[in-house]
């Protein structure tokens, strides 16, 4: 706990979970360090926790604390230094027509249907593909911090006077020094779409407009295919031994 001694968290308690199977590395047992009680984790406190490698799932604030593994590296991107590569620029142009609308966290049958399709297509047999409505709500729609939900739609069809087609939903936390990308799900059935890349770039743009410094992308795991994409956004910084360091491109 020495890394947390200098921040105002004296009212919080931290405990280790029992071991459980890692979701990303086969045959590995994982553990998490959890901050409680949840109702005391205000937006400023949460911002400091994120700077020390924590994230949240609903009102559950945690960071990996495994016995024999340190593969999970908290990752952030300094948006003022980021320059997109050619592939990322193509993704931006491809989906720049989408209309983004921010909301407070809210439930919607339309969101939940898209979430289910996304999970079944992209994460089959991962557990979340069978989430019921309550599990979905607890995961994405419960928060004690400053959070927003952004929906991305095809342009409004004025001829038929109807709402544009929902393509993507993103949940984002607002921090003192940046944004934390909580979760994004999108239409999995569009051929050649690159909605995930576009969403990350959109969050970078929002971060710049808010005059903030970082977008926190969660945990990077070098040997996990699901997580490897995060170091495509350079210069990426990883929290290693308590210090944020620019990841060496030659070693990632």
């Amino acid at each position: 706990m020495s890394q947390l001694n200098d921040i105002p968290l004296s009212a919080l308690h931290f405990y280790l979970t029992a071991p459980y199977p890692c979701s990303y590395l086969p045959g590995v047992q994982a553990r998490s360090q959890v901050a409680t009680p949840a109702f005391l984790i205000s937006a400023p406190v949460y911002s400091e926790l994120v700077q020390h490698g924590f994230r949240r799932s609903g009102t559950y604030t945690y960071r990996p604390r495994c016995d024999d593994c340190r593969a999970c590296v908290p990752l952030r991107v300094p948006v003022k230094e980021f320059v997109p590569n050619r592939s990322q620029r193509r993704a931006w142009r491809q989906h720049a027509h989408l209309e983004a609308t921010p909301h407070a966290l809210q439930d919607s049958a339309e969101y939940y249907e898209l979430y289910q399709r996304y999970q079944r297509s992209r994460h089959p047999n991962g557990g979340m593909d069978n989430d019921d409505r309550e599990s979905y709500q607890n995961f994405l729609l419960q928060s004690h911090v400053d959070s927003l939900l952004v929906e991305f739609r095809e342009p409004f069809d004025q001829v038929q006077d109807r709402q544009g087609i929902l393509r993507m939903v993103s949940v984002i936390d607002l921090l003192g020094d940046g944004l934390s990308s909580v979760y994004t799900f999108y239409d999995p059935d569009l051929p050649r779409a690159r909605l995930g890349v576009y969403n990350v770039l959109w969050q970078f743009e929002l971060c710049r407009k808010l005059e903030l410094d970082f977008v926190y992308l969660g945990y990077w795991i070098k040997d996990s295919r699901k997580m490897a994409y995060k170091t495509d956004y350079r210069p990426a910084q990883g929290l290693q031994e308590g210090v944020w360091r620019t990841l060496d491109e030659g070693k990632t």
Side-chain angles (χ1 to χ4, degrees), residues 45-105:
V45 170
Y46 183 65
S47 291
E48 296 191 64
L49 285 169
V50 171
Q51 292 171 16
H52 288 78
F54 284 80
R55 279 180 66 76
R56 72 172 184 86
S57 175
T59 59
Y60 176 88
T61 302
Y62 70 97
R63 65 179 176 182
R65 212 57 160 183
C66 305
D67 295 333
D68 302 310
C69 179
R70 295 293 181 268
C72 290
V73 178
L75 187 141
R76 70 185 186 185
V77 178
V79 298
K80 295 172 186 175
E81 301 174 34
F82 170 76
V83 178
N85 59 33
R86 181 180 300 177
S87 176
Q88 290 162 347
R89 290 196 296 270
R90 285 199 301 267
W92 180 260
R93 292 192 298 268
Q94 181 180 357
H95 299 298
H97 65 285
L98 293 177
E99 295 179 346
T101 307
H103 302 279
L105 297 184

Side-chain angles (χ1 to χ4, degrees), residues 34-250:
V34 181
T36 62
F39 69 86
L40 289 182
I41 301 177
S42 62
V45 170
Y46 183 65
S47 291
E48 296 191 64
L49 285 169
V50 171
Q51 292 171 16
H52 288 78
F54 284 80
R55 279 180 66 76
R56 72 172 184 86
S57 175
T59 59
Y60 176 88
T61 302
Y62 70 97
R63 65 179 176 182
R65 212 57 160 183
C66 305
D67 295 333
D68 302 310
C69 179
R70 295 293 181 268
C72 290
V73 178
L75 187 141
R76 70 185 186 185
V77 178
V79 298
K80 295 172 186 175
E81 301 174 34
F82 170 76
V83 178
N85 59 33
R86 181 180 300 177
S87 176
Q88 290 162 347
R89 290 196 296 270
R90 285 199 301 267
W92 180 260
R93 292 192 298 268
Q94 181 180 357
H95 299 298
H97 65 285
L98 293 177
E99 295 179 346
T101 307
H103 302 279
L105 297 184
Q106 61 183 22
D107 200 3
S108 160
E110 187 181 24
Y111 298 163
Y112 180 55
E113 187 275 333
L114 180 62
Y115 175 83
Q116 287 183 307
R117 287 202 293 122
Y118 172 81
Q119 293 295 348
R120 288 194 295 263
S121 175
R122 297 305 173 96
H123 303 292
N125 302 315
M128 295 171 69
D129 54 326
N130 291 318
D131 274 358
D132 58 23
R133 188 72 170 267
E134 183 177 5
S135 298
Y136 157 77
Q137 293 169 341
N138 290 339
F139 171 42
L140 288 180
L141 305 182
Q142 302 293 322
S143 172
H144 290 315
V145 300
D146 294 334
S147 304
L148 59 89
L149 179 150
V150 185
E151 61 175 45
F152 297 80
R153 293 181 180 273
E154 297 290 343
F156 183 78
D157 187 341
Q158 297 183 5
V159 177
Q160 298 187 26
D161 190 27
R162 63 182 177 81
Q163 196 173 37
I165 299 172
L166 180 68
R167 293 301 189 195
M168 180 164 56
V169 174
S170 189
V171 176
I172 302 168
D173 288 338
L174 306 179
L175 308 175
D177 65 345
L179 305 177
S180 177
S181 184
V182 178
Y183 201 75
T184 296
F185 55 96
Y186 49 82
D187 189 335
D189 301 320
L190 296 179
R192 296 180 295 279
R194 303 191 65 201
L195 289 166
V197 175
Y198 174 76
N199 183 269
V200 173
L201 300 177
W202 186 90
Q203 292 190 42
F204 289 175
E205 285 299 304
L206 176 61
C207 191
R208 291 191 187 102
K209 289 177 182 177
L210 295 174
E211 299 183 347
L212 298 171
D213 295 323
F214 303 104
V215 171
Y216 291 82
L217 293 177
Y219 301 114
W220 169 66
I221 302 174
K222 182 177 181 180
D223 295 326
S224 169
R225 181 181 58 83
K226 293 180 181 179
M227 296 293 207
Y229 76 91
K230 296 183 180 183
T231 53
D232 291 341
Y233 303 94
R234 295 185 179 276
Q237 297 179 352
L239 183 63
Q240 300 173 312
E241 298 179 355
V243 178
W244 288 98
R245 299 186 176 94
T246 299
L247 296 176
D248 186 340
E249 187 168 355

